[in-house]
Amino acid sequence: MRKPAFLCHPPERVFPFLETGMAEAEFFRKLRQAQLDRLRELRLALHRAAVHDIEEIESLVRSRYDRATADEISPFDSYRYILFGQVLLLRDATGRLAACVYEAGYDHPDRPSYLFRLIVRADMESLGLGTLLNRLSLALAYERGARSRNALVSLDNPRSLYVHLNKVGSYFTDLLEVQLPGLANHLVSSRPITIETVAGNLIDDQKSDAMLETGAGTTGLKLVHTQDISMLRELMRHQGYRVVAVARKSISVDGAMLILMPTHPVPAC
């Protein structure tokens, strides 16, 4: 699904290596290389986690989540995904853990990629590591044979929503309200891993912020606060809307304004 063109960057502005008619395999190879080049510029080392990294990963988890949430995250999850998925770690020049991302794939016919637990150390947030790791994991998933990407993000984590929606091109299609600890009020994303969905759905923050100031007007889009669960439920479950962006200026400890579009096409401005 394409997001409204009047909210998005031209693909070539974000990915200068993108060429007309480029094969998808070539695009994802260059996407991977671009992220690795950026890591070298930042003097960050990338490696796959091993079991002996679990204790350090758990320390990073506890530094970024409140105690109740962190207590719900079992070290056994790390153990399983280190053995049967892939856990990517970034370390700074001193060897200290800077960020991590978990990904798992399953032997279904479409070989989906499941991405979760994208965590960046607080003092490293301004470097764009969440976007970098997300794009890198997309490229690696494609090379491994995955052709779809699934993700689950809490409505209480607007910064993660911002990375997924504005920086990586995801869109969220369902609201998860399962009454289990840590699972209520999450947004669910499932999309193809293609050039179109990765390069063509990146939100221009200035344009999305302008919507926050002027309102959706006649665009056919809706603005909804992350904590307005009843309105999100109505739009997503009953009216067929999808969450496509975050208004960046609204991101705060109190949540953010989400931009939703209907499943039928929105005319370009």
Side-chain angles (χ1 to χ4, degrees), residues 90-128:
L90 295 182
R91 295 186 181 277
D92 63 20
T94 69
R96 187 181 170 200
L97 187 60
C100 73
V101 66
Y102 285 41
E103 186 174 12
Y106 297 91
D107 292 328
H108 294 173
D110 62 348
R111 297 178 60 81
S113 160
Y114 292 84
L115 181 136
F116 58 103
R117 200 175 297 181
L118 178 62
I119 305 172
V120 177
R121 206 171 74 205
D123 62 315
M124 307 288 279
E125 279 190 334
S126 63
L127 298 178

PDB file of all heavy atoms in Angstrom, residues 90-128:
ATOM      1  N   LEU A  90      25.034  -3.364  18.197  1.00  0.00           N
ATOM      2  CA  LEU A  90      25.992  -2.320  17.853  1.00  0.00           C
ATOM      3  C   LEU A  90      26.783  -1.959  19.103  1.00  0.00           C
ATOM      4  O   LEU A  90      26.209  -1.806  20.183  1.00  0.00           O
ATOM      5  CB  LEU A  90      25.276  -1.066  17.334  1.00  0.00           C
ATOM      6  CG  LEU A  90      24.501  -1.175  16.025  1.00  0.00           C
ATOM      7  CD1 LEU A  90      23.901   0.174  15.655  1.00  0.00           C
ATOM      8  CD2 LEU A  90      25.393  -1.676  14.902  1.00  0.00           C
ATOM      9  N   ARG A  91      28.105  -1.811  18.944  1.00  0.00           N
ATOM     10  CA  ARG A  91      28.970  -1.417  20.059  1.00  0.00           C
ATOM     11  C   ARG A  91      29.755  -0.172  19.671  1.00  0.00           C
ATOM     12  O   ARG A  91      30.178  -0.019  18.525  1.00  0.00           O
ATOM     13  CB  ARG A  91      29.919  -2.558  20.434  1.00  0.00           C
ATOM     14  CG  ARG A  91      29.195  -3.777  20.986  1.00  0.00           C
ATOM     15  CD  ARG A  91      30.168  -4.844  21.500  1.00  0.00           C
ATOM     16  NE  ARG A  91      29.441  -6.000  21.996  1.00  0.00           N
ATOM     17  CZ  ARG A  91      28.917  -6.088  23.216  1.00  0.00           C
ATOM     18  NH1 ARG A  91      29.078  -5.072  24.054  1.00  0.00           N
ATOM     19  NH2 ARG A  91      28.259  -7.162  23.599  1.00  0.00           N
ATOM     20  N   ASP A  92      29.950   0.704  20.659  1.00  0.00           N
ATOM     21  CA  ASP A  92      30.708   1.925  20.401  1.00  0.00           C
ATOM     22  C   ASP A  92      32.201   1.637  20.444  1.00  0.00           C
ATOM     23  O   ASP A  92      32.635   0.485  20.608  1.00  0.00           O
ATOM     24  CB  ASP A  92      30.303   3.034  21.376  1.00  0.00           C
ATOM     25  CG  ASP A  92      30.606   2.698  22.841  1.00  0.00           C
ATOM     26  OD1 ASP A  92      31.453   1.813  23.100  1.00  0.00           O
ATOM     27  OD2 ASP A  92      30.001   3.338  23.722  1.00  0.00           O
ATOM     28  N   ALA A  93      33.016   2.685  20.302  1.00  0.00           N
ATOM     29  CA  ALA A  93      34.467   2.509  20.210  1.00  0.00           C
ATOM     30  C   ALA A  93      35.069   1.919  21.480  1.00  0.00           C
ATOM     31  O   ALA A  93      36.155   1.338  21.443  1.00  0.00           O
ATOM     32  CB  ALA A  93      35.126   3.848  19.894  1.00  0.00           C
ATOM     33  N   THR A  94      34.367   2.035  22.602  1.00  0.00           N
ATOM     34  CA  THR A  94      34.859   1.471  23.861  1.00  0.00           C
ATOM     35  C   THR A  94      34.413   0.025  24.063  1.00  0.00           C
ATOM     36  O   THR A  94      34.793  -0.611  25.041  1.00  0.00           O
ATOM     37  CB  THR A  94      34.374   2.300  25.059  1.00  0.00           C
ATOM     38  OG1 THR A  94      32.948   2.139  25.220  1.00  0.00           O
ATOM     39  CG2 THR A  94      34.691   3.779  24.861  1.00  0.00           C
ATOM     40  N   GLY A  95      33.585  -0.487  23.136  1.00  0.00           N
ATOM     41  CA  GLY A  95      33.058  -1.836  23.267  1.00  0.00           C
ATOM     42  C   GLY A  95      31.740  -1.918  24.005  1.00  0.00           C
ATOM     43  O   GLY A  95      31.171  -3.002  24.168  1.00  0.00           O
ATOM     44  N   ARG A  96      31.212  -0.780  24.449  1.00  0.00           N
ATOM     45  CA  ARG A  96      29.953  -0.759  25.193  1.00  0.00           C
ATOM     46  C   ARG A  96      28.777  -0.934  24.239  1.00  0.00           C
ATOM     47  O   ARG A  96      28.773  -0.389  23.128  1.00  0.00           O
ATOM     48  CB  ARG A  96      29.824   0.564  25.943  1.00  0.00           C
ATOM     49  CG  ARG A  96      28.636   0.641  26.880  1.00  0.00           C
ATOM     50  CD  ARG A  96      28.610   1.997  27.551  1.00  0.00           C
ATOM     51  NE  ARG A  96      27.376   2.206  28.284  1.00  0.00           N
ATOM     52  CZ  ARG A  96      26.914   3.395  28.643  1.00  0.00           C
ATOM     53  NH1 ARG A  96      27.599   4.491  28.330  1.00  0.00           N
ATOM     54  NH2 ARG A  96      25.770   3.499  29.308  1.00  0.00           N
ATOM     55  N   LEU A  97      27.758  -1.675  24.676  1.00  0.00           N
ATOM     56  CA  LEU A  97      26.577  -1.928  23.855  1.00  0.00           C
ATOM     57  C   LEU A  97      25.812  -0.638  23.618  1.00  0.00           C
ATOM     58  O   LEU A  97      25.452   0.077  24.558  1.00  0.00           O
ATOM     59  CB  LEU A  97      25.680  -2.960  24.546  1.00  0.00           C
ATOM     60  CG  LEU A  97      24.469  -3.465  23.751  1.00  0.00           C
ATOM     61  CD1 LEU A  97      24.909  -4.124  22.453  1.00  0.00           C
ATOM     62  CD2 LEU A  97      23.669  -4.461  24.598  1.00  0.00           C
ATOM     63  N   ALA A  98      25.550  -0.319  22.338  1.00  0.00           N
ATOM     64  CA  ALA A  98      24.872   0.925  21.965  1.00  0.00           C
ATOM     65  C   ALA A  98      23.432   0.702  21.519  1.00  0.00           C
ATOM     66  O   ALA A  98      22.577   1.566  21.704  1.00  0.00           O
ATOM     67  CB  ALA A  98      25.642   1.632  20.857  1.00  0.00           C
ATOM     68  N   ALA A  99      23.152  -0.450  20.903  1.00  0.00           N
ATOM     69  CA  ALA A  99      21.801  -0.699  20.370  1.00  0.00           C
ATOM     70  C   ALA A  99      21.660  -2.175  20.034  1.00  0.00           C
ATOM     71  O   ALA A  99      22.659  -2.891  19.865  1.00  0.00           O
ATOM     72  CB  ALA A  99      21.545   0.150  19.135  1.00  0.00           C
ATOM     73  N   CYS A 100      20.407  -2.614  19.928  1.00  0.00           N
ATOM     74  CA  CYS A 100      20.150  -3.986  19.510  1.00  0.00           C
ATOM     75  C   CYS A 100      18.811  -4.071  18.802  1.00  0.00           C
ATOM     76  O   CYS A 100      17.953  -3.204  18.960  1.00  0.00           O
ATOM     77  CB  CYS A 100      20.171  -4.949  20.700  1.00  0.00           C
ATOM     78  SG  CYS A 100      18.752  -4.840  21.806  1.00  0.00           S
ATOM     79  N   VAL A 101      18.651  -5.111  17.997  1.00  0.00           N
ATOM     80  CA  VAL A 101      17.371  -5.388  17.355  1.00  0.00           C
ATOM     81  C   VAL A 101      17.228  -6.898  17.235  1.00  0.00           C
ATOM     82  O   VAL A 101      18.201  -7.605  16.979  1.00  0.00           O
ATOM     83  CB  VAL A 101      17.263  -4.713  15.970  1.00  0.00           C
ATOM     84  CG1 VAL A 101      18.239  -5.292  14.970  1.00  0.00           C
ATOM     85  CG2 VAL A 101      15.839  -4.801  15.432  1.00  0.00           C
ATOM     86  N   TYR A 102      16.011  -7.386  17.455  1.00  0.00           N
ATOM     87  CA  TYR A 102      15.718  -8.809  17.360  1.00  0.00           C
ATOM     88  C   TYR A 102      14.908  -9.072  16.096  1.00  0.00           C
ATOM     89  O   TYR A 102      14.018  -8.298  15.744  1.00  0.00           O
ATOM     90  CB  TYR A 102      14.863  -9.271  18.548  1.00  0.00           C
ATOM     91  CG  TYR A 102      15.578  -9.403  19.860  1.00  0.00           C
ATOM     92  CD1 TYR A 102      16.525  -8.467  20.273  1.00  0.00           C
ATOM     93  CD2 TYR A 102      15.296 -10.460  20.720  1.00  0.00           C
ATOM     94  CE1 TYR A 102      17.160  -8.583  21.486  1.00  0.00           C
ATOM     95  CE2 TYR A 102      15.926 -10.581  21.945  1.00  0.00           C
ATOM     96  CZ  TYR A 102      16.857  -9.636  22.328  1.00  0.00           C
ATOM     97  OH  TYR A 102      17.490  -9.755  23.541  1.00  0.00           O
ATOM     98  N   GLU A 103      15.213 -10.178  15.453  1.00  0.00           N
ATOM     99  CA  GLU A 103      14.453 -10.575  14.277  1.00  0.00           C
ATOM    100  C   GLU A 103      14.345 -12.089  14.244  1.00  0.00           C
ATOM    101  O   GLU A 103      15.296 -12.802  14.572  1.00  0.00           O
ATOM    102  CB  GLU A 103      15.132 -10.086  12.999  1.00  0.00           C
ATOM    103  CG  GLU A 103      14.312 -10.358  11.755  1.00  0.00           C
ATOM    104  CD  GLU A 103      14.931  -9.736  10.530  1.00  0.00           C
ATOM    105  OE1 GLU A 103      16.084  -9.291  10.605  1.00  0.00           O
ATOM    106  OE2 GLU A 103      14.259  -9.700   9.499  1.00  0.00           O
ATOM    107  N   ALA A 104      13.180 -12.568  13.869  1.00  0.00           N
ATOM    108  CA  ALA A 104      12.960 -14.010  13.730  1.00  0.00           C
ATOM    109  C   ALA A 104      12.260 -14.272  12.415  1.00  0.00           C
ATOM    110  O   ALA A 104      11.463 -13.458  11.940  1.00  0.00           O
ATOM    111  CB  ALA A 104      12.112 -14.540  14.882  1.00  0.00           C
ATOM    112  N   GLY A 105      12.559 -15.397  11.801  1.00  0.00           N
ATOM    113  CA  GLY A 105      11.895 -15.801  10.571  1.00  0.00           C
ATOM    114  C   GLY A 105      11.401 -17.220  10.713  1.00  0.00           C
ATOM    115  O   GLY A 105      11.940 -18.013  11.494  1.00  0.00           O
ATOM    116  N   TYR A 106      10.358 -17.560   9.988  1.00  0.00           N
ATOM    117  CA  TYR A 106       9.767 -18.885  10.096  1.00  0.00           C
ATOM    118  C   TYR A 106       9.646 -19.521   8.716  1.00  0.00           C
ATOM    119  O   TYR A 106       9.620 -18.839   7.705  1.00  0.00           O
ATOM    120  CB  TYR A 106       8.396 -18.789  10.765  1.00  0.00           C
ATOM    121  CG  TYR A 106       8.500 -18.273  12.180  1.00  0.00           C
ATOM    122  CD1 TYR A 106       8.414 -16.908  12.440  1.00  0.00           C
ATOM    123  CD2 TYR A 106       8.736 -19.136  13.240  1.00  0.00           C
ATOM    124  CE1 TYR A 106       8.535 -16.412  13.721  1.00  0.00           C
ATOM    125  CE2 TYR A 106       8.852 -18.643  14.536  1.00  0.00           C
ATOM    126  CZ  TYR A 106       8.748 -17.279  14.766  1.00  0.00           C
ATOM    127  OH  TYR A 106       8.887 -16.800  16.041  1.00  0.00           O
ATOM    128  N   ASP A 107       9.589 -20.823   8.694  1.00  0.00           N
ATOM    129  CA  ASP A 107       9.619 -21.546   7.428  1.00  0.00           C
ATOM    130  C   ASP A 107       8.238 -21.655   6.793  1.00  0.00           C
ATOM    131  O   ASP A 107       7.816 -22.724   6.366  1.00  0.00           O
ATOM    132  CB  ASP A 107      10.215 -22.942   7.631  1.00  0.00           C
ATOM    133  CG  ASP A 107      11.689 -22.857   7.978  1.00  0.00           C
ATOM    134  OD1 ASP A 107      12.343 -21.920   7.501  1.00  0.00           O
ATOM    135  OD2 ASP A 107      12.175 -23.714   8.726  1.00  0.00           O
ATOM    136  N   HIS A 108       7.511 -20.547   6.753  1.00  0.00           N
ATOM    137  CA  HIS A 108       6.272 -20.477   6.000  1.00  0.00           C
ATOM    138  C   HIS A 108       6.619 -20.254   4.528  1.00  0.00           C
ATOM    139  O   HIS A 108       7.743 -19.846   4.215  1.00  0.00           O
ATOM    140  CB  HIS A 108       5.407 -19.319   6.502  1.00  0.00           C
ATOM    141  CG  HIS A 108       4.933 -19.521   7.911  1.00  0.00           C
ATOM    142  ND1 HIS A 108       4.267 -18.540   8.598  1.00  0.00           N
ATOM    143  CD2 HIS A 108       5.040 -20.568   8.765  1.00  0.00           C
ATOM    144  CE1 HIS A 108       3.975 -18.973   9.822  1.00  0.00           C
ATOM    145  NE2 HIS A 108       4.434 -20.202   9.930  1.00  0.00           N
ATOM    146  N   PRO A 109       5.682 -20.478   3.613  1.00  0.00           N
ATOM    147  CA  PRO A 109       5.992 -20.264   2.195  1.00  0.00           C
ATOM    148  C   PRO A 109       6.497 -18.863   1.874  1.00  0.00           C
ATOM    149  O   PRO A 109       7.361 -18.684   1.027  1.00  0.00           O
ATOM    150  CB  PRO A 109       4.651 -20.544   1.501  1.00  0.00           C
ATOM    151  CG  PRO A 109       3.974 -21.524   2.405  1.00  0.00           C
ATOM    152  CD  PRO A 109       4.344 -21.091   3.797  1.00  0.00           C
ATOM    153  N   ASP A 110       5.961 -17.829   2.574  1.00  0.00           N
ATOM    154  CA  ASP A 110       6.406 -16.468   2.267  1.00  0.00           C
ATOM    155  C   ASP A 110       7.556 -16.017   3.154  1.00  0.00           C
ATOM    156  O   ASP A 110       8.007 -14.888   3.045  1.00  0.00           O
ATOM    157  CB  ASP A 110       5.238 -15.482   2.375  1.00  0.00           C
ATOM    158  CG  ASP A 110       4.652 -15.419   3.779  1.00  0.00           C
ATOM    159  OD1 ASP A 110       4.990 -16.288   4.614  1.00  0.00           O
ATOM    160  OD2 ASP A 110       3.848 -14.493   4.040  1.00  0.00           O
ATOM    161  N   ARG A 111       8.045 -16.887   4.053  1.00  0.00           N
ATOM    162  CA  ARG A 111       9.216 -16.616   4.889  1.00  0.00           C
ATOM    163  C   ARG A 111       9.151 -15.222   5.518  1.00  0.00           C
ATOM    164  O   ARG A 111      10.010 -14.363   5.257  1.00  0.00           O
ATOM    165  CB  ARG A 111      10.497 -16.772   4.079  1.00  0.00           C
ATOM    166  CG  ARG A 111      10.727 -18.179   3.554  1.00  0.00           C
ATOM    167  CD  ARG A 111      11.983 -18.261   2.724  1.00  0.00           C
ATOM    168  NE  ARG A 111      13.161 -17.897   3.504  1.00  0.00           N
ATOM    169  CZ  ARG A 111      13.808 -18.711   4.338  1.00  0.00           C
ATOM    170  NH1 ARG A 111      13.371 -19.945   4.518  1.00  0.00           N
ATOM    171  NH2 ARG A 111      14.874 -18.306   4.987  1.00  0.00           N
ATOM    172  N   PRO A 112       8.154 -14.947   6.351  1.00  0.00           N
ATOM    173  CA  PRO A 112       8.033 -13.600   6.919  1.00  0.00           C
ATOM    174  C   PRO A 112       9.166 -13.286   7.886  1.00  0.00           C
ATOM    175  O   PRO A 112       9.745 -14.173   8.505  1.00  0.00           O
ATOM    176  CB  PRO A 112       6.683 -13.651   7.646  1.00  0.00           C
ATOM    177  CG  PRO A 112       6.513 -15.087   8.001  1.00  0.00           C
ATOM    178  CD  PRO A 112       7.111 -15.852   6.849  1.00  0.00           C
ATOM    179  N   SER A 113       9.458 -12.013   8.018  1.00  0.00           N
ATOM    180  CA  SER A 113      10.436 -11.511   8.980  1.00  0.00           C
ATOM    181  C   SER A 113       9.675 -10.823  10.100  1.00  0.00           C
ATOM    182  O   SER A 113       8.834  -9.960   9.850  1.00  0.00           O
ATOM    183  CB  SER A 113      11.379 -10.515   8.290  1.00  0.00           C
ATOM    184  OG  SER A 113      12.027  -9.695   9.235  1.00  0.00           O
ATOM    185  N   TYR A 114       9.956 -11.195  11.342  1.00  0.00           N
ATOM    186  CA  TYR A 114       9.331 -10.583  12.513  1.00  0.00           C
ATOM    187  C   TYR A 114      10.382  -9.746  13.233  1.00  0.00           C
ATOM    188  O   TYR A 114      11.382 -10.288  13.726  1.00  0.00           O
ATOM    189  CB  TYR A 114       8.768 -11.639  13.455  1.00  0.00           C
ATOM    190  CG  TYR A 114       7.591 -12.386  12.893  1.00  0.00           C
ATOM    191  CD1 TYR A 114       7.774 -13.479  12.058  1.00  0.00           C
ATOM    192  CD2 TYR A 114       6.290 -11.982  13.179  1.00  0.00           C
ATOM    193  CE1 TYR A 114       6.694 -14.164  11.523  1.00  0.00           C
ATOM    194  CE2 TYR A 114       5.200 -12.657  12.642  1.00  0.00           C
ATOM    195  CZ  TYR A 114       5.413 -13.750  11.824  1.00  0.00           C
ATOM    196  OH  TYR A 114       4.350 -14.422  11.282  1.00  0.00           O
ATOM    197  N   LEU A 115      10.174  -8.445  13.294  1.00  0.00           N
ATOM    198  CA  LEU A 115      11.129  -7.556  13.952  1.00  0.00           C
ATOM    199  C   LEU A 115      10.537  -7.012  15.240  1.00  0.00           C
ATOM    200  O   LEU A 115       9.393  -6.589  15.277  1.00  0.00           O
ATOM    201  CB  LEU A 115      11.494  -6.399  13.028  1.00  0.00           C
ATOM    202  CG  LEU A 115      12.521  -5.415  13.611  1.00  0.00           C
ATOM    203  CD1 LEU A 115      13.565  -5.046  12.585  1.00  0.00           C
ATOM    204  CD2 LEU A 115      11.819  -4.148  14.124  1.00  0.00           C
ATOM    205  N   PHE A 116      11.337  -7.023  16.303  1.00  0.00           N
ATOM    206  CA  PHE A 116      10.887  -6.475  17.573  1.00  0.00           C
ATOM    207  C   PHE A 116      12.092  -6.156  18.444  1.00  0.00           C
ATOM    208  O   PHE A 116      13.240  -6.413  18.077  1.00  0.00           O
ATOM    209  CB  PHE A 116       9.935  -7.437  18.292  1.00  0.00           C
ATOM    210  CG  PHE A 116      10.515  -8.797  18.571  1.00  0.00           C
ATOM    211  CD1 PHE A 116      10.949  -9.141  19.831  1.00  0.00           C
ATOM    212  CD2 PHE A 116      10.621  -9.737  17.560  1.00  0.00           C
ATOM    213  CE1 PHE A 116      11.485 -10.392  20.084  1.00  0.00           C
ATOM    214  CE2 PHE A 116      11.150 -10.996  17.804  1.00  0.00           C
ATOM    215  CZ  PHE A 116      11.588 -11.323  19.067  1.00  0.00           C
ATOM    216  N   ARG A 117      11.835  -5.577  19.597  1.00  0.00           N
ATOM    217  CA  ARG A 117      12.833  -5.169  20.577  1.00  0.00           C
ATOM    218  C   ARG A 117      13.973  -4.378  19.925  1.00  0.00           C
ATOM    219  O   ARG A 117      15.138  -4.765  19.973  1.00  0.00           O
ATOM    220  CB  ARG A 117      13.381  -6.362  21.361  1.00  0.00           C
ATOM    221  CG  ARG A 117      14.030  -5.916  22.671  1.00  0.00           C
ATOM    222  CD  ARG A 117      14.489  -7.059  23.537  1.00  0.00           C
ATOM    223  NE  ARG A 117      13.386  -7.888  23.981  1.00  0.00           N
ATOM    224  CZ  ARG A 117      13.507  -8.949  24.766  1.00  0.00           C
ATOM    225  NH1 ARG A 117      14.691  -9.334  25.177  1.00  0.00           N
ATOM    226  NH2 ARG A 117      12.449  -9.642  25.126  1.00  0.00           N
ATOM    227  N   LEU A 118      13.602  -3.276  19.311  1.00  0.00           N
ATOM    228  CA  LEU A 118      14.575  -2.344  18.756  1.00  0.00           C
ATOM    229  C   LEU A 118      14.896  -1.328  19.852  1.00  0.00           C
ATOM    230  O   LEU A 118      14.062  -0.494  20.191  1.00  0.00           O
ATOM    231  CB  LEU A 118      13.994  -1.656  17.518  1.00  0.00           C
ATOM    232  CG  LEU A 118      14.846  -0.597  16.824  1.00  0.00           C
ATOM    233  CD1 LEU A 118      16.141  -1.198  16.307  1.00  0.00           C
ATOM    234  CD2 LEU A 118      14.070   0.044  15.689  1.00  0.00           C
ATOM    235  N   ILE A 119      16.094  -1.403  20.417  1.00  0.00           N
ATOM    236  CA  ILE A 119      16.450  -0.594  21.578  1.00  0.00           C
ATOM    237  C   ILE A 119      17.753   0.148  21.306  1.00  0.00           C
ATOM    238  O   ILE A 119      18.735  -0.446  20.850  1.00  0.00           O
ATOM    239  CB  ILE A 119      16.623  -1.466  22.841  1.00  0.00           C
ATOM    240  CG1 ILE A 119      15.369  -2.305  23.083  1.00  0.00           C
ATOM    241  CG2 ILE A 119      16.912  -0.602  24.063  1.00  0.00           C
ATOM    242  CD1 ILE A 119      15.524  -3.328  24.190  1.00  0.00           C
ATOM    243  N   VAL A 120      17.764   1.458  21.593  1.00  0.00           N
ATOM    244  CA  VAL A 120      18.950   2.287  21.420  1.00  0.00           C
ATOM    245  C   VAL A 120      19.289   2.922  22.765  1.00  0.00           C
ATOM    246  O   VAL A 120      18.398   3.426  23.455  1.00  0.00           O
ATOM    247  CB  VAL A 120      18.717   3.376  20.358  1.00  0.00           C
ATOM    248  CG1 VAL A 120      19.949   4.282  20.232  1.00  0.00           C
ATOM    249  CG2 VAL A 120      18.378   2.748  19.013  1.00  0.00           C
ATOM    250  N   ARG A 121      20.558   2.911  23.119  1.00  0.00           N
ATOM    251  CA  ARG A 121      21.010   3.520  24.372  1.00  0.00           C
ATOM    252  C   ARG A 121      20.635   4.996  24.390  1.00  0.00           C
ATOM    253  O   ARG A 121      20.719   5.677  23.355  1.00  0.00           O
ATOM    254  CB  ARG A 121      22.527   3.353  24.501  1.00  0.00           C
ATOM    255  CG  ARG A 121      23.040   3.349  25.926  1.00  0.00           C
ATOM    256  CD  ARG A 121      24.501   2.965  25.942  1.00  0.00           C
ATOM    257  NE  ARG A 121      25.361   4.042  25.456  1.00  0.00           N
ATOM    258  CZ  ARG A 121      26.559   3.855  24.919  1.00  0.00           C
ATOM    259  NH1 ARG A 121      27.035   2.627  24.763  1.00  0.00           N
ATOM    260  NH2 ARG A 121      27.281   4.884  24.516  1.00  0.00           N
ATOM    261  N   ALA A 122      20.233   5.512  25.532  1.00  0.00           N
ATOM    262  CA  ALA A 122      19.666   6.860  25.614  1.00  0.00           C
ATOM    263  C   ALA A 122      20.595   7.929  25.047  1.00  0.00           C
ATOM    264  O   ALA A 122      20.151   8.832  24.333  1.00  0.00           O
ATOM    265  CB  ALA A 122      19.312   7.182  27.069  1.00  0.00           C
ATOM    266  N   ASP A 123      21.887   7.835  25.308  1.00  0.00           N
ATOM    267  CA  ASP A 123      22.812   8.877  24.864  1.00  0.00           C
ATOM    268  C   ASP A 123      23.179   8.753  23.388  1.00  0.00           C
ATOM    269  O   ASP A 123      23.911   9.581  22.847  1.00  0.00           O
ATOM    270  CB  ASP A 123      24.081   8.877  25.721  1.00  0.00           C
ATOM    271  CG  ASP A 123      24.854   7.565  25.604  1.00  0.00           C
ATOM    272  OD1 ASP A 123      24.227   6.503  25.654  1.00  0.00           O
ATOM    273  OD2 ASP A 123      26.088   7.620  25.464  1.00  0.00           O
ATOM    274  N   MET A 124      22.655   7.716  22.710  1.00  0.00           N
ATOM    275  CA  MET A 124      22.956   7.502  21.285  1.00  0.00           C
ATOM    276  C   MET A 124      21.748   7.784  20.395  1.00  0.00           C
ATOM    277  O   MET A 124      21.813   7.599  19.177  1.00  0.00           O
ATOM    278  CB  MET A 124      23.406   6.050  21.065  1.00  0.00           C
ATOM    279  CG  MET A 124      24.542   5.586  21.958  1.00  0.00           C
ATOM    280  SD  MET A 124      26.119   6.330  21.520  1.00  0.00           S
ATOM    281  CE  MET A 124      26.621   5.299  20.146  1.00  0.00           C
ATOM    282  N   GLU A 125      20.631   8.248  20.961  1.00  0.00           N
ATOM    283  CA  GLU A 125      19.390   8.377  20.210  1.00  0.00           C
ATOM    284  C   GLU A 125      19.477   9.341  19.036  1.00  0.00           C
ATOM    285  O   GLU A 125      18.812   9.160  18.026  1.00  0.00           O
ATOM    286  CB  GLU A 125      18.251   8.815  21.135  1.00  0.00           C
ATOM    287  CG  GLU A 125      17.637   7.691  21.936  1.00  0.00           C
ATOM    288  CD  GLU A 125      16.380   8.128  22.645  1.00  0.00           C
ATOM    289  OE1 GLU A 125      16.251   9.335  22.930  1.00  0.00           O
ATOM    290  OE2 GLU A 125      15.526   7.271  22.919  1.00  0.00           O
ATOM    291  N   SER A 126      20.292  10.369  19.151  1.00  0.00           N
ATOM    292  CA  SER A 126      20.331  11.409  18.120  1.00  0.00           C
ATOM    293  C   SER A 126      21.054  10.966  16.844  1.00  0.00           C
ATOM    294  O   SER A 126      21.063  11.702  15.851  1.00  0.00           O
ATOM    295  CB  SER A 126      21.017  12.666  18.669  1.00  0.00           C
ATOM    296  OG  SER A 126      22.372  12.401  19.009  1.00  0.00           O
ATOM    297  N   LEU A 127      21.648   9.766  16.846  1.00  0.00           N
ATOM    298  CA  LEU A 127      22.441   9.307  15.708  1.00  0.00           C
ATOM    299  C   LEU A 127      21.621   8.569  14.652  1.00  0.00           C
ATOM    300  O   LEU A 127      22.158   8.177  13.616  1.00  0.00           O
ATOM    301  CB  LEU A 127      23.577   8.399  16.195  1.00  0.00           C
ATOM    302  CG  LEU A 127      24.592   9.040  17.138  1.00  0.00           C
ATOM    303  CD1 LEU A 127      25.624   8.012  17.583  1.00  0.00           C
ATOM    304  CD2 LEU A 127      25.270  10.236  16.479  1.00  0.00           C
ATOM    305  N   GLY A 128      20.354   8.343  14.913  1.00  0.00           N
ATOM    306  CA  GLY A 128      19.515   7.638  13.942  1.00  0.00           C
ATOM    307  C   GLY A 128      19.772   6.141  13.892  1.00  0.00           C
ATOM    308  O   GLY A 128      19.539   5.499  12.856  1.00  0.00           O
TER     309      GLY A 128
END
